[in-house]
Amino acid sequence: QGRLLLLLHAQQCSDDGCVLLAKCGAAKTLLQHLASCLDDGCSVPQCASSRALLEHHGACVNSACALCAPAR
């Protein structure tokens, strides 16, 4: 849940010096990587799991989903 919230924040955040979340900059870097990475076996930390997390969130329609509900 925490990583999902961070990634969703970073997708919307336009502040390069964001102090709202300490890891916003790292999340923005990861999102930039995800935008071009097509490697299912990517060795970049959190690449595959973050992609799966964002894909799940984008497709999830379960209002009681324990993973997505806090981010809605």
Side-chain angles (χ1 to χ4, degrees), residues 11-28:
Q11 282 181 328
Q12 301 298 318
C13 182
S14 60
D15 184 359
D16 288 336
C18 179
V19 295
L20 179 62
L21 296 171
K23 297 182 180 183
C24 181
K28 287 179 183 179

Side-chain angles (χ1 to χ4, degrees), residues 24-66:
C24 181
K28 287 179 183 179
T29 301
L30 178 59
L31 287 169
Q32 287 176 340
H33 169 80
L34 287 171
S36 61
C37 181
L38 302 173
D39 183 3
D40 288 336
C42 182
S43 62
V44 171
Q46 300 182 342
C47 175
S49 59
S50 293
R51 177 182 316 289
L53 188 60
L54 289 169
E55 286 175 358
H56 169 82
H57 180 262
C60 184
V61 295
N62 180 358
S63 61
C65 177

